[in-house]
Amino acid sequence: MTVLGITDFWTYVLGVVAIILLPGPNSIFVLTVGARRGVRAGYLAAGGVFVGDAVLMILSATGVASLLNTYPTVFMVLKYAGGAYLAYVGVNIIRSAWRRWRDRAGAAPLAASVAEEPPGVRHPFRRAAVISLLNPKAILFFISFFIQFVEPGYPHPELSFLVLGAVVQFFSLLYLSALIFGGRFLAGQFRERRRLAAGAATGVGALFVGFGIKLATAGAG
């Protein structure tokens, strides 16, 4: 049975939930922004993720993303640009954390120092959107995942893709909201624990560098 041209809807929902729960650069960036700059900035970062994901889904639904398979050079440029950008974000987070750790006399604790606007989490909306968009593997994932749940020959596939995309954004909103408020909890824990905060930020930065390396070495298949 299909509804609005969608097959196996609940299987799709379960798959989306499992995929969203997997840690990635988007979710970790939102968590970091929520911890270091507060709820409002966290939702700005989440908004960037929503916009970036929406663009990727539109590209996938219109078939543009499949061009990455046809033109490997485009894929190579995107993946190296994306990998370099993720590594850049990670290095900035690490540098910011250890700079404040060394400046013990006048520096504010890591998570409480909102006024400094560390380079790694500056402009959260724009940075989150770029992190989402510079990910060719995500584009290829969306096109392969969506196609499995759209009935071939359905006269209004745009409606099917709209519903499927709305499901992704809904569960993403729930998950990112939990991360944002979880980040505020972590901020309270880090407020008087500068060493722990610096270590946690260094770990986050290292994750971003790792994401960048993984993306830069990923294949198109």
Side-chain angles (χ1 to χ4, degrees):
M1 179 179 179
T2 63
V3 178
L4 299 177
I6 301 171
T7 62
D8 298 323
F9 177 76
W10 293 112
T11 300
Y12 170 78
V13 169
L14 291 175
V16 166
V17 171
I19 291 163
I20 287 176
L21 290 177
L22 290 175
N26 290 347
S27 58
I28 292 177
F29 181 73
V30 171
L31 174 62
T32 303
V33 171
R36 299 181 72 166
R37 296 192 53 195
V39 173
R40 181 178 181 275
Y43 274 109
L44 284 175
V49 172
F50 298 148
V51 170
D53 284 351
V55 171
L56 293 183
M57 286 186 280
I58 291 171
L59 292 175
S60 299
T62 57
V64 174
S66 62
L67 292 176
L68 293 176
N69 282 325
T70 306
Y71 299 100
T73 302
V74 177
F75 177 84
M76 295 291 289
V77 171
L78 276 176
K79 77 169 185 173
Y80 286 130
Y85 188 78
L86 292 177
Y88 167 77
V89 171
V91 169
N92 273 327
I93 291 174
I94 294 171
R95 289 177 59 192
S96 175
W98 286 99
R99 183 169 58 248
R100 276 175 294 172
W101 167 247
R102 289 194 303 268
D103 187 17
R104 300 186 182 189
L110 177 66
S113 182
V114 173
E116 285 188 31
E117 286 199 350
V121 295
R122 200 172 286 164
H123 310 299
F125 178 88
R126 184 175 65 192
R127 199 171 288 268
V130 173
I131 289 173
S132 296
L133 288 170
L134 287 179
N135 193 345
K137 293 294 287 186
I139 298 175
L140 297 175
F141 160 76
F142 273 123
I143 193 170
S144 63
F145 193 65
F146 279 10
I147 288 177
Q148 296 181 35
F149 298 93
V150 176
E151 180 184 9
Y154 183 68
H156 303 290
E158 66 280 358
L159 185 58
S160 305
F161 285 118
L162 180 63
V163 173
L164 295 176
V167 170
V168 173
Q169 299 288 47
F170 172 74
F171 284 105
S172 181
L173 174 61
L174 294 180
Y175 180 54
L176 294 181
S177 294
L179 293 180
I180 290 168
F181 287 99
R184 293 309 296 156
F185 171 77
L186 291 176
Q189 298 299 308
F190 290 155
R191 191 165 287 116
E192 301 300 331
R193 299 174 176 85
R194 186 181 301 171
R195 179 178 296 179
L196 176 62
T202 300
V204 169
L207 278 176
F208 271 91
V209 174
F211 286 136
I213 294 172
K214 182 178 180 180
L215 175 57
T217 56

PDB file of all heavy atoms in Angstrom, residues 34-36 38 109-112 180-194 196-197:
ATOM      1  N   GLY A  34      25.674  25.290  20.972  1.00  0.00           N
ATOM      2  CA  GLY A  34      24.753  25.385  22.093  1.00  0.00           C
ATOM      3  C   GLY A  34      25.481  25.480  23.419  1.00  0.00           C
ATOM      4  O   GLY A  34      25.074  26.236  24.310  1.00  0.00           O
ATOM      5  N   ALA A  35      26.582  24.734  23.551  1.00  0.00           N
ATOM      6  CA  ALA A  35      27.338  24.746  24.801  1.00  0.00           C
ATOM      7  C   ALA A  35      28.116  26.034  24.981  1.00  0.00           C
ATOM      8  O   ALA A  35      28.242  26.546  26.092  1.00  0.00           O
ATOM      9  CB  ALA A  35      28.294  23.547  24.840  1.00  0.00           C
ATOM     10  N   ARG A  36      28.631  26.587  23.907  1.00  0.00           N
ATOM     11  CA  ARG A  36      29.538  27.722  24.035  1.00  0.00           C
ATOM     12  C   ARG A  36      28.830  29.064  23.905  1.00  0.00           C
ATOM     13  O   ARG A  36      29.306  30.056  24.453  1.00  0.00           O
ATOM     14  CB  ARG A  36      30.644  27.608  22.987  1.00  0.00           C
ATOM     15  CG  ARG A  36      31.472  26.343  23.141  1.00  0.00           C
ATOM     16  CD  ARG A  36      32.574  26.243  22.124  1.00  0.00           C
ATOM     17  NE  ARG A  36      33.636  27.201  22.430  1.00  0.00           N
ATOM     18  CZ  ARG A  36      34.845  27.134  21.857  1.00  0.00           C
ATOM     19  NH1 ARG A  36      35.121  26.181  21.001  1.00  0.00           N
ATOM     20  NH2 ARG A  36      35.756  28.035  22.158  1.00  0.00           N
ATOM     21  N   GLY A  38      25.032  29.396  23.771  1.00  0.00           N
ATOM     22  CA  GLY A  38      23.674  29.455  24.271  1.00  0.00           C
ATOM     23  C   GLY A  38      22.628  28.918  23.318  1.00  0.00           C
ATOM     24  O   GLY A  38      22.909  28.544  22.173  1.00  0.00           O
ATOM     25  N   PRO A 109      35.968  30.903  31.426  1.00  0.00           N
ATOM     26  CA  PRO A 109      35.864  29.471  31.148  1.00  0.00           C
ATOM     27  C   PRO A 109      35.366  29.226  29.742  1.00  0.00           C
ATOM     28  O   PRO A 109      34.644  30.027  29.177  1.00  0.00           O
ATOM     29  CB  PRO A 109      34.868  28.977  32.207  1.00  0.00           C
ATOM     30  CG  PRO A 109      34.964  29.981  33.302  1.00  0.00           C
ATOM     31  CD  PRO A 109      35.243  31.286  32.631  1.00  0.00           C
ATOM     32  N   LEU A 110      35.718  28.081  29.211  1.00  0.00           N
ATOM     33  CA  LEU A 110      35.447  27.762  27.814  1.00  0.00           C
ATOM     34  C   LEU A 110      34.007  27.929  27.425  1.00  0.00           C
ATOM     35  O   LEU A 110      33.681  28.648  26.489  1.00  0.00           O
ATOM     36  CB  LEU A 110      35.903  26.318  27.535  1.00  0.00           C
ATOM     37  CG  LEU A 110      35.625  25.786  26.135  1.00  0.00           C
ATOM     38  CD1 LEU A 110      36.431  26.546  25.118  1.00  0.00           C
ATOM     39  CD2 LEU A 110      35.941  24.306  26.089  1.00  0.00           C
ATOM     40  N   ALA A 111      33.100  27.264  28.132  1.00  0.00           N
ATOM     41  CA  ALA A 111      31.709  27.272  27.692  1.00  0.00           C
ATOM     42  C   ALA A 111      31.020  28.565  28.044  1.00  0.00           C
ATOM     43  O   ALA A 111      29.995  28.894  27.453  1.00  0.00           O
ATOM     44  CB  ALA A 111      30.964  26.098  28.333  1.00  0.00           C
ATOM     45  N   ALA A 112      31.518  29.329  29.020  1.00  0.00           N
ATOM     46  CA  ALA A 112      30.840  30.539  29.443  1.00  0.00           C
ATOM     47  C   ALA A 112      31.292  31.761  28.678  1.00  0.00           C
ATOM     48  O   ALA A 112      30.690  32.817  28.770  1.00  0.00           O
ATOM     49  CB  ALA A 112      31.068  30.761  30.939  1.00  0.00           C
ATOM     50  N   ILE A 180      20.962  20.964  21.674  1.00  0.00           N
ATOM     51  CA  ILE A 180      21.125  22.367  22.084  1.00  0.00           C
ATOM     52  C   ILE A 180      20.937  22.509  23.591  1.00  0.00           C
ATOM     53  O   ILE A 180      21.756  23.128  24.284  1.00  0.00           O
ATOM     54  CB  ILE A 180      20.132  23.268  21.329  1.00  0.00           C
ATOM     55  CG1 ILE A 180      20.537  23.358  19.861  1.00  0.00           C
ATOM     56  CG2 ILE A 180      20.081  24.668  21.948  1.00  0.00           C
ATOM     57  CD1 ILE A 180      19.486  23.971  18.963  1.00  0.00           C
ATOM     58  N   PHE A 181      19.864  21.929  24.118  1.00  0.00           N
ATOM     59  CA  PHE A 181      19.629  22.037  25.558  1.00  0.00           C
ATOM     60  C   PHE A 181      20.620  21.170  26.339  1.00  0.00           C
ATOM     61  O   PHE A 181      20.990  21.506  27.472  1.00  0.00           O
ATOM     62  CB  PHE A 181      18.185  21.678  25.887  1.00  0.00           C
ATOM     63  CG  PHE A 181      17.218  22.749  25.464  1.00  0.00           C
ATOM     64  CD1 PHE A 181      16.504  22.632  24.284  1.00  0.00           C
ATOM     65  CD2 PHE A 181      17.057  23.888  26.225  1.00  0.00           C
ATOM     66  CE1 PHE A 181      15.634  23.629  23.879  1.00  0.00           C
ATOM     67  CE2 PHE A 181      16.190  24.898  25.837  1.00  0.00           C
ATOM     68  CZ  PHE A 181      15.474  24.765  24.660  1.00  0.00           C
ATOM     69  N   GLY A 182      21.061  20.077  25.732  1.00  0.00           N
ATOM     70  CA  GLY A 182      22.133  19.304  26.347  1.00  0.00           C
ATOM     71  C   GLY A 182      23.422  20.104  26.403  1.00  0.00           C
ATOM     72  O   GLY A 182      24.193  19.998  27.357  1.00  0.00           O
ATOM     73  N   GLY A 183      23.638  20.933  25.372  1.00  0.00           N
ATOM     74  CA  GLY A 183      24.807  21.796  25.369  1.00  0.00           C
ATOM     75  C   GLY A 183      24.776  22.804  26.496  1.00  0.00           C
ATOM     76  O   GLY A 183      25.801  23.118  27.102  1.00  0.00           O
ATOM     77  N   ARG A 184      23.590  23.318  26.813  1.00  0.00           N
ATOM     78  CA  ARG A 184      23.485  24.255  27.936  1.00  0.00           C
ATOM     79  C   ARG A 184      23.805  23.561  29.261  1.00  0.00           C
ATOM     80  O   ARG A 184      24.412  24.145  30.152  1.00  0.00           O
ATOM     81  CB  ARG A 184      22.072  24.858  27.993  1.00  0.00           C
ATOM     82  CG  ARG A 184      21.725  25.751  26.842  1.00  0.00           C
ATOM     83  CD  ARG A 184      22.796  26.812  26.611  1.00  0.00           C
ATOM     84  NE  ARG A 184      22.892  27.723  27.741  1.00  0.00           N
ATOM     85  CZ  ARG A 184      23.988  28.419  28.041  1.00  0.00           C
ATOM     86  NH1 ARG A 184      25.081  28.279  27.324  1.00  0.00           N
ATOM     87  NH2 ARG A 184      23.996  29.239  29.075  1.00  0.00           N
ATOM     88  N   PHE A 185      23.407  22.300  29.373  1.00  0.00           N
ATOM     89  CA  PHE A 185      23.762  21.540  30.576  1.00  0.00           C
ATOM     90  C   PHE A 185      25.278  21.376  30.669  1.00  0.00           C
ATOM     91  O   PHE A 185      25.874  21.559  31.731  1.00  0.00           O
ATOM     92  CB  PHE A 185      23.081  20.172  30.555  1.00  0.00           C
ATOM     93  CG  PHE A 185      23.555  19.244  31.640  1.00  0.00           C
ATOM     94  CD1 PHE A 185      23.117  19.398  32.947  1.00  0.00           C
ATOM     95  CD2 PHE A 185      24.457  18.229  31.356  1.00  0.00           C
ATOM     96  CE1 PHE A 185      23.565  18.550  33.948  1.00  0.00           C
ATOM     97  CE2 PHE A 185      24.904  17.374  32.343  1.00  0.00           C
ATOM     98  CZ  PHE A 185      24.452  17.538  33.646  1.00  0.00           C
ATOM     99  N   LEU A 186      25.888  21.031  29.531  1.00  0.00           N
ATOM    100  CA  LEU A 186      27.340  20.881  29.518  1.00  0.00           C
ATOM    101  C   LEU A 186      28.030  22.196  29.846  1.00  0.00           C
ATOM    102  O   LEU A 186      29.069  22.210  30.520  1.00  0.00           O
ATOM    103  CB  LEU A 186      27.807  20.383  28.146  1.00  0.00           C
ATOM    104  CG  LEU A 186      27.429  18.946  27.782  1.00  0.00           C
ATOM    105  CD1 LEU A 186      27.877  18.631  26.370  1.00  0.00           C
ATOM    106  CD2 LEU A 186      28.031  17.963  28.769  1.00  0.00           C
ATOM    107  N   ALA A 187      27.450  23.314  29.384  1.00  0.00           N
ATOM    108  CA  ALA A 187      28.038  24.608  29.687  1.00  0.00           C
ATOM    109  C   ALA A 187      28.091  24.834  31.192  1.00  0.00           C
ATOM    110  O   ALA A 187      29.079  25.353  31.725  1.00  0.00           O
ATOM    111  CB  ALA A 187      27.227  25.727  29.017  1.00  0.00           C
ATOM    112  N   GLY A 188      27.009  24.447  31.890  1.00  0.00           N
ATOM    113  CA  GLY A 188      27.006  24.582  33.346  1.00  0.00           C
ATOM    114  C   GLY A 188      28.062  23.714  34.000  1.00  0.00           C
ATOM    115  O   GLY A 188      28.703  24.117  34.977  1.00  0.00           O
ATOM    116  N   GLN A 189      28.263  22.512  33.472  1.00  0.00           N
ATOM    117  CA  GLN A 189      29.273  21.620  34.027  1.00  0.00           C
ATOM    118  C   GLN A 189      30.692  22.144  33.780  1.00  0.00           C
ATOM    119  O   GLN A 189      31.586  21.974  34.608  1.00  0.00           O
ATOM    120  CB  GLN A 189      29.134  20.214  33.410  1.00  0.00           C
ATOM    121  CG  GLN A 189      27.804  19.545  33.703  1.00  0.00           C
ATOM    122  CD  GLN A 189      27.580  19.333  35.183  1.00  0.00           C
ATOM    123  OE1 GLN A 189      28.420  18.766  35.881  1.00  0.00           O
ATOM    124  NE2 GLN A 189      26.447  19.812  35.686  1.00  0.00           N
ATOM    125  N   PHE A 190      30.896  22.800  32.618  1.00  0.00           N
ATOM    126  CA  PHE A 190      32.222  23.275  32.253  1.00  0.00           C
ATOM    127  C   PHE A 190      32.567  24.629  32.870  1.00  0.00           C
ATOM    128  O   PHE A 190      33.727  25.033  32.859  1.00  0.00           O
ATOM    129  CB  PHE A 190      32.334  23.408  30.728  1.00  0.00           C
ATOM    130  CG  PHE A 190      32.341  22.097  30.007  1.00  0.00           C
ATOM    131  CD1 PHE A 190      31.913  22.035  28.686  1.00  0.00           C
ATOM    132  CD2 PHE A 190      32.767  20.937  30.625  1.00  0.00           C
ATOM    133  CE1 PHE A 190      31.924  20.828  27.995  1.00  0.00           C
ATOM    134  CE2 PHE A 190      32.784  19.735  29.949  1.00  0.00           C
ATOM    135  CZ  PHE A 190      32.360  19.681  28.642  1.00  0.00           C
ATOM    136  N   ARG A 191      31.558  25.315  33.387  1.00  0.00           N
ATOM    137  CA  ARG A 191      31.773  26.710  33.805  1.00  0.00           C
ATOM    138  C   ARG A 191      32.927  26.861  34.797  1.00  0.00           C
ATOM    139  O   ARG A 191      33.683  27.816  34.742  1.00  0.00           O
ATOM    140  CB  ARG A 191      30.467  27.275  34.383  1.00  0.00           C
ATOM    141  CG  ARG A 191      30.495  28.774  34.609  1.00  0.00           C
ATOM    142  CD  ARG A 191      29.101  29.320  34.812  1.00  0.00           C
ATOM    143  NE  ARG A 191      28.363  29.335  33.557  1.00  0.00           N
ATOM    144  CZ  ARG A 191      27.265  28.619  33.320  1.00  0.00           C
ATOM    145  NH1 ARG A 191      26.780  27.818  34.245  1.00  0.00           N
ATOM    146  NH2 ARG A 191      26.649  28.692  32.158  1.00  0.00           N
ATOM    147  N   GLU A 192      33.040  25.910  35.721  1.00  0.00           N
ATOM    148  CA  GLU A 192      34.097  25.998  36.721  1.00  0.00           C
ATOM    149  C   GLU A 192      35.176  24.932  36.511  1.00  0.00           C
ATOM    150  O   GLU A 192      35.986  24.694  37.392  1.00  0.00           O
ATOM    151  CB  GLU A 192      33.495  25.849  38.127  1.00  0.00           C
ATOM    152  CG  GLU A 192      32.451  26.887  38.478  1.00  0.00           C
ATOM    153  CD  GLU A 192      33.006  28.304  38.437  1.00  0.00           C
ATOM    154  OE1 GLU A 192      34.228  28.466  38.695  1.00  0.00           O
ATOM    155  OE2 GLU A 192      32.236  29.243  38.161  1.00  0.00           O
ATOM    156  N   ARG A 193      35.146  24.322  35.342  1.00  0.00           N
ATOM    157  CA  ARG A 193      36.116  23.245  35.080  1.00  0.00           C
ATOM    158  C   ARG A 193      36.837  23.553  33.772  1.00  0.00           C
ATOM    159  O   ARG A 193      36.561  22.947  32.735  1.00  0.00           O
ATOM    160  CB  ARG A 193      35.410  21.891  35.010  1.00  0.00           C
ATOM    161  CG  ARG A 193      34.688  21.486  36.296  1.00  0.00           C
ATOM    162  CD  ARG A 193      33.902  20.197  36.081  1.00  0.00           C
ATOM    163  NE  ARG A 193      33.267  19.731  37.304  1.00  0.00           N
ATOM    164  CZ  ARG A 193      32.095  20.136  37.738  1.00  0.00           C
ATOM    165  NH1 ARG A 193      31.407  21.052  37.038  1.00  0.00           N
ATOM    166  NH2 ARG A 193      31.568  19.658  38.850  1.00  0.00           N
ATOM    167  N   ARG A 194      37.766  24.476  33.824  1.00  0.00           N
ATOM    168  CA  ARG A 194      38.415  24.951  32.599  1.00  0.00           C
ATOM    169  C   ARG A 194      39.200  23.846  31.907  1.00  0.00           C
ATOM    170  O   ARG A 194      39.201  23.734  30.686  1.00  0.00           O
ATOM    171  CB  ARG A 194      39.326  26.131  32.926  1.00  0.00           C
ATOM    172  CG  ARG A 194      39.930  26.785  31.687  1.00  0.00           C
ATOM    173  CD  ARG A 194      40.845  27.923  32.071  1.00  0.00           C
ATOM    174  NE  ARG A 194      40.129  28.934  32.829  1.00  0.00           N
ATOM    175  CZ  ARG A 194      40.737  29.940  33.439  1.00  0.00           C
ATOM    176  NH1 ARG A 194      42.053  30.031  33.398  1.00  0.00           N
ATOM    177  NH2 ARG A 194      40.036  30.830  34.103  1.00  0.00           N
ATOM    178  N   LEU A 196      38.648  20.560  31.988  1.00  0.00           N
ATOM    179  CA  LEU A 196      37.698  19.647  31.352  1.00  0.00           C
ATOM    180  C   LEU A 196      37.116  20.269  30.097  1.00  0.00           C
ATOM    181  O   LEU A 196      36.964  19.609  29.060  1.00  0.00           O
ATOM    182  CB  LEU A 196      36.578  19.293  32.340  1.00  0.00           C
ATOM    183  CG  LEU A 196      35.441  18.422  31.807  1.00  0.00           C
ATOM    184  CD1 LEU A 196      35.965  17.063  31.368  1.00  0.00           C
ATOM    185  CD2 LEU A 196      34.356  18.255  32.876  1.00  0.00           C
ATOM    186  N   ALA A 197      36.781  21.572  30.172  1.00  0.00           N
ATOM    187  CA  ALA A 197      36.199  22.257  29.027  1.00  0.00           C
ATOM    188  C   ALA A 197      37.184  22.312  27.867  1.00  0.00           C
ATOM    189  O   ALA A 197      36.820  22.076  26.706  1.00  0.00           O
ATOM    190  CB  ALA A 197      35.777  23.671  29.427  1.00  0.00           C
TER     191      ALA A 197
END
